[in-house]
Amino acid sequence: MTTSTVYIVKDNGKRCFAPPCDHYDLFSADAPDKKLQSVHEIDLSAITGGDDAKMGELLQRASKGGPGLKVEGSLDKRLKAGPAGDAIVLRATRVVG
């Protein structure tokens, strides 16, 4: 069983030429100034149901300089995600707040 946690997700501005690129930072919802780790991808499909407009809206909330996107979800690993290796994926199940 995978444990679900509430995170604040923020785009850290990092971009790479060889995926996966860890361009999202995760922060604790209880301590929003405490960076927990970086992740390569955010899977919002459980929330958006494949709606690209909704996905864009949610990712915009995570954009650099903003307050971040607060979601509940769990971390997963996608093996061999690209030339740079495995990817850490945040699989979000709901938006919080």
Side-chain angles (χ1 to χ4, degrees):
M1 182 173 160
T2 305
T3 304
S4 189
T5 305
V6 176
Y7 298 103
I8 297 171
V9 182
K10 295 182 181 183
D11 186 325
N12 63 23
K14 186 190 287 186
R15 299 298 180 258
C16 304
F17 292 104
C21 182
D22 59 338
H23 61 259
Y24 294 103
D25 290 337
L26 294 184
F27 296 83
S28 170
D30 296 332
D33 294 331
K34 180 183 176 190
K35 179 183 166 185
L36 300 172
Q37 72 179 79
S38 295
V39 297
H40 303 97
E41 299 174 25
I42 305 171
D43 178 359
L44 296 168
S45 60
I47 298 169
T48 64
D51 182 332
D52 289 339
K54 188 169 184 176
M55 173 103 55
E57 175 189 319
L58 291 174
L59 289 176
Q60 184 64 34
R61 289 171 58 182
S63 67
K64 192 166 175 61
L69 173 64
K70 195 174 191 180
V71 296
E72 182 176 356
S74 58
L75 297 177
D76 195 7
K77 187 181 281 191
R78 188 162 59 94
L79 301 176
K80 300 178 184 173
D86 300 339
I88 300 172
V89 181
L90 171 61
R91 300 203 187 280
T93 54
R94 72 179 181 104
V95 175
V96 178

